[in-house]
Amino acid sequence: MSYSAPPPQQPGGNPYGQPPGPYGRPQQPDQFPQGQFPGRPQGGQSGGFGGGHPRPPARRGNVGLGLLAGLAAALVGGGIYAVILSNVTFQVGYFTFGIGLLAGLVAARIAGPNPVVPVVTAVFALIAAYLGQILGIALLIGKTFGGASFVDVLVEDFSAVHDLWQEGLEPISFLFFALAAFGAVTGAKKAAR
């Protein structure tokens, strides 16, 4: 059996340690590299020779919870869109992109990378944009006719509100719906990275 030769002597007499400081003790570094501590191996294992427990696998997102959160975000965005539409005299459809973006970002952040999330959040954004326009019309009718509640307007005359929405459809309205779906897909892909 052969033994390897000991390392050559370093100045100061200690072949395995650091050179002595000005007072005869080895110099200690002020900080250790981030995440490293003396006596602890790298790689997240707790044993000294590669033993110990490996790190648990990264947790996958909860798709159901993510889609539910995306639906809630889309409905909140649709409500904000309705309030904006009821207070202006022209159609501000570019906000539909924001509805979709919000829904996609929230859903994908919680659900993680999943190919279903962009498609479903695009549908949620389309529904929220439609509901936002319907609620905006109902709020405007309520303001115009003696301060009636938008709930009363929707419950009693939903067909009239829907007919007003259909009369107001223009080719650019379909562009705004497409922007809502595009915003949802874009937001979901950005957040899933």
Side-chain angles (χ1 to χ4, degrees), residues 49-88:
F49 295 101
H53 303 286
R55 289 186 180 167
R59 183 175 172 202
R60 295 295 223 172
N62 188 340
V63 177
L65 184 63
L67 291 177
L68 188 62
L71 176 62
L75 292 177
V76 166
I80 293 170
Y81 181 49
V83 170
I84 291 171
L85 285 179
S86 69
N87 289 317
V88 296

Side-chain angles (χ1 to χ4, degrees), residues 98-162:
I99 293 171
L101 188 69
L102 178 67
L105 284 172
V106 169
R109 182 63 69 186
I110 295 172
N114 191 312
V116 173
V117 173
V119 175
V120 175
T121 54
V123 172
F124 289 164
L126 290 171
I127 292 169
Y130 168 74
L131 290 176
Q133 289 181 359
I134 292 293
L135 288 176
I137 292 170
L139 285 169
L140 191 59
I141 290 173
K143 284 181 187 177
T144 305
F145 296 110
S149 169
F150 76 94
V151 176
D152 293 336
V153 172
L154 285 176
V155 171
E156 294 174 9
D157 292 325
F158 181 76
S159 61
V161 172
H162 187 70

Side-chain angles (χ1 to χ4, degrees), residues 16-79:
Y16 299 104
Q18 298 176 348
Y23 301 107
R25 297 180 59 193
Q27 294 178 350
Q28 298 293 324
D30 292 335
Q31 290 182 336
F32 296 100
Q34 186 175 2
Q36 296 179 13
F37 301 101
R40 185 177 207 186
Q42 293 180 348
Q45 295 183 347
S46 59
F49 295 101
H53 303 286
R55 289 186 180 167
R59 183 175 172 202
R60 295 295 223 172
N62 188 340
V63 177
L65 184 63
L67 291 177
L68 188 62
L71 176 62
L75 292 177
V76 166

